[in-house]
Every structure is written in C-alpha cells, then in structure tokens.
Amino acid sequence: MIKYIFLLFFSIFLLSGCGDKLSTSTTDNSANITKALLTGTWTAKCSDNTTASTSSKTVLVFSASGDNLTATTTNYSDLSCVTQSFVFTKKLNTLELEDSKTKTSQNQIIKKFTAKVTDITLEPKTTSVATLLFSSSFCGLTGWNSGTETSVAGLTCGSITYNAVNDTHSDIIQINSEKTFIRLGNITNAASTGYPKTLYTLEYYK
C-alpha cells in the first residue's frame, strides 16, 4: 500500500489530471485572465483511480487580492471521494500574471504566471496512513501523525525533490470563453524556460 501512497503523492502533488491530450482542431478563444477573475474557489470533479481503488479531488483557492494560491488535493480510500485518506497542500504567494497571452503546442490560448512557494505539506487523515508513512520514513521523516500537517518543502521523497520555500513556481493557466472553468499546466512537461509546454485536461469550476 505504501507504493500506492508514493505514486499518489507524486501524481497528486503535481496536480495531474486525466492527461494533457486536448483538442487541437481549433483555437480556443479563451477569456482574458486577470487576478480579479481568478479570485475565489475553483474545484475539480472527483477523479477515481480504479487500479488503486482510490479517488481524489483538488481545490484551488485564490486570495481576494489574487496574489496567493493554495492548491489542496484530498485523497480518498474509495472511488467516490467520501472517506479521506491524506491531504496534500501547496501554498504560493506573490503570484504574477504575464500581461500578454500566448499559445501552447496544443493551440490553446494561455497566460503564464509565476509565484513563490511558501510551503508544501502532507497530512495523513488516518492512523493507518500515518503509520505507513512513519514506518517507511517517507521523505526522510518519522514524525507523521494523523490530522497533523507536515512540511515536505525542499525534501526528497522517493525519486523527486520538491520545491523549497521561496523557490519560484512557474506555470500556465487557461480559462474558457464562458469563464466557467480554468486549467493549469502540465508541470512535468516543462520547456527550458521552466514553464509547462502543455495543459492538463483537468478542469476547475467555481
């Protein structure tokens, strides 16, 4: 089971959705993205993993000023996002949107943005998950407790080293023309500039 936690940690933390194969048949006439437009809570639908018999849901919260972003992914031990297992949170501040729009290789109109990492945390929601993390010294830590957030910023977990506090997070964002959902970039497919080259298909709704 700890193997699944490792895999889920990597994929959920990276905000992975259902892949990045978006339609390229036409140009997406997305709306202009502003901090004021982003302010508020955007929630993805429950995403199930039939192989692991788990599910997850991610919530993005942009502060009233639009300068801060908190991305929280809750993982569940069932396929319907009911029983919480563990929670990952990535907190960013000093978010800056580029003024001009650009296109991805998928022909989607997006804006680039950067922000500073303020923290990355993992919180086991059950004693069994906390015990698994403790027994495996996950991320080199042994102080895992159910219901307690533990910072993993700057730590190496398995084969991945995560951003440290004050590191720059580079990403892209798209909003549809009706302004009903947003998508973020596939940060596992980054260009030499550090920005993702493609978008995930996962949609976040207000």
Side-chain angles (χ1 to χ4, degrees):
M1 184 175 179
I2 191 66
K3 178 181 179 182
Y4 281 125
I5 291 179
F6 288 165
L7 293 173
L8 287 165
F9 179 72
F10 300 150
S11 62
I12 293 171
F13 173 80
L14 295 171
L15 299 179
S16 61
C18 303
D20 56 7
K21 296 181 179 179
L22 300 180
S23 172
T24 59
S25 59
T26 59
T27 298
D28 188 313
N29 295 313
S30 58
N32 186 45
I33 302 170
T34 64
K35 288 183 179 181
L37 192 57
L38 292 175
T39 295
T41 300
W42 301 79
T43 305
K45 295 179 180 179
C46 179
S47 177
D48 60 27
N49 182 335
T50 55
T51 300
S53 296
T54 61
S55 55
S56 62
K57 182 184 291 186
T58 300
V59 177
L60 308 177
V61 179
F62 291 86
S63 65
S65 63
D67 294 329
N68 302 325
L69 167 60
T70 299
T72 302
T73 298
T74 302
N75 190 80
Y76 302 84
S77 58
D78 55 74
L79 293 171
S80 304
C81 292
V82 175
T83 306
Q84 293 187 358
S85 181
F86 49 93
V87 178
F88 296 105
T89 303
K90 186 169 187 176
K91 301 174 184 177
L92 307 172
N93 67 6
T94 60
L95 188 150
E96 293 294 336
L97 285 167
E98 286 197 354
D99 292 332
S100 59
K101 291 182 179 182
T102 187
K103 291 182 182 179
T104 68
S105 60
Q106 303 157 304
N107 210 30
Q108 302 292 314
I109 299 174
I110 52 91
K111 269 193 175 182
K112 296 177 181 178
F113 73 89
T114 58
K116 294 292 184 180
V117 175
T118 58
D119 206 359
I120 301 165
T121 64
L122 167 60
E123 178 188 354
K125 302 300 287 187
T126 67
T127 300
S128 60
V129 171
T131 300
L132 284 170
L133 295 172
F134 175 85
S135 62
S136 66
S137 298
F138 191 58
C139 302
L141 302 174
T142 55
W144 297 102
N145 295 292
S146 176
T148 300
E149 284 186 273
T150 298
S151 178
V152 295
L155 300 182
T156 298
C157 306
S159 61
I160 297 179
T161 298
Y162 292 95
N163 291 126
V165 172
N166 291 324
D167 277 357
T168 298
H169 174 90
S170 300
D171 210 335
I172 58 177
I173 188 168
Q174 181 232 6
I175 190 166
N176 66 327
S177 56
E178 293 79 18
K179 304 178 184 179
T180 56
F181 68 79
I182 59 175
R183 295 190 184 105
L184 295 177
N186 175 3
I187 62 176
T188 65
N189 183 26
S192 58
T193 59
Y195 290 99
K197 294 185 288 186
T198 54
L199 287 162
Y200 277 121
T201 57
L202 190 64
E203 298 168 351
Y204 300 88
Y205 293 84
K206 264 190 176 181

